[in-house]
Amino acid sequence: PATQSAPPSHRNLRRFYFTTEAFAGEYDVVKNKEGLPPSECVQEISAHWQVKDMVDCTYQPDCNNRTGPGINLIYVSGHCHAPSCISMELYNADTGELICRQEPVFGTGSGQPFDEQGYLALPPCLYGPATDGLIPPMLLTWETNLMSIKRNNNTYTHYGEMASWQMRGIYV
């Protein structure tokens, strides 16, 4: 807890969310031409938006009381479905800086939890103190332009694919 001589050790993380698939929630991955190798079967979608578009005041009633310049992201994670998800990338479109890239990690069957054969994990991008081995959070102003790129393998049709960004951060 905060004291007169020390700030609090924790801050409330706010939810930031955006869907690459144009507010549809889900979309269909269309099958590529027969006979192409899987390496050539890639369907890509993208989206562009501003940081301020990720704030939903429905669940954050004080969100209109933003007085600072923007946000610092702490947790960034794309949401996509196996088996077609190849990667998700989030960029600061103003600078070209890659904010987060995610690729599924395939389980090896080592016997460790979440490493079962056939299991896919999508580790999030985490930001925080460098002393904790993390990348320091970057300031994203409310007007920062973002770009998402989502790639799927489309050797086969896949219905109900998703490409949303689920993030947590703090107002600054």
Side-chain angles (χ1 to χ4, degrees):
T3 65
Q4 286 185 325
S5 62
S9 61
H10 295 77
R11 296 191 54 192
N12 183 31
L13 291 181
R14 303 206 174 254
R15 182 175 194 257
F16 304 104
Y17 181 83
F18 202 84
T19 59
T20 305
E21 62 272 27
F23 304 107
E26 294 183 349
Y27 69 100
D28 297 335
V29 175
V30 180
K31 182 178 179 175
N32 209 327
K33 298 176 200 169
E34 284 291 332
L36 287 177
S39 63
E40 293 181 29
C41 294
V42 179
Q43 178 177 317
E44 183 178 291
I45 65 170
S46 63
H48 301 265
W49 71 94
Q50 290 187 313
V51 168
K52 64 185 173 187
D53 300 328
M54 298 188 303
V55 179
D56 181 355
C57 292
T58 305
Y59 303 105
Q60 298 180 52
D62 64 338
C63 74
N64 288 318
N65 299 328
R66 302 181 301 249
T67 57
I71 66 172
N72 280 342
L73 291 175
I74 305 298
Y75 167 94
V76 179
S77 184
H79 178 87
C80 61
H81 296 166
S84 68
C85 182
I86 295 173
S87 66
M88 289 187 68
E89 297 169 347
L90 182 64
Y91 290 90
N92 178 329
D94 297 329
T95 65
E97 181 179 11
L98 179 64
I99 295 171
C100 182
R101 176 178 168 81
Q102 293 184 280
E103 295 179 312
V105 175
F106 294 84
T108 64
S110 69
Q112 296 297 314
F114 308 113
D115 192 36
E116 294 87 351
Q117 190 71 40
Y119 185 86
L120 293 177
L122 197 61
C125 297
L126 301 174
Y127 305 88
T131 54
D132 291 340
L134 299 170
I135 299 167
M138 62 195 83
L139 171 66
L140 299 175
T141 68
W142 298 113
E143 290 75 31
T144 298
N145 292 295
L146 301 174
M147 178 179 67
S148 173
I149 301 173
K150 165 69 183 312
R151 293 179 186 88
N152 281 65
N153 178 282
N154 66 341
T155 302
Y156 304 102
T157 299
H158 184 79
Y159 299 107
E161 178 58 12
M162 299 181 82
S164 56
W165 287 100
Q166 304 174 99
M167 300 172 258
R168 303 295 185 273
I170 56 174
Y171 290 167
V172 293

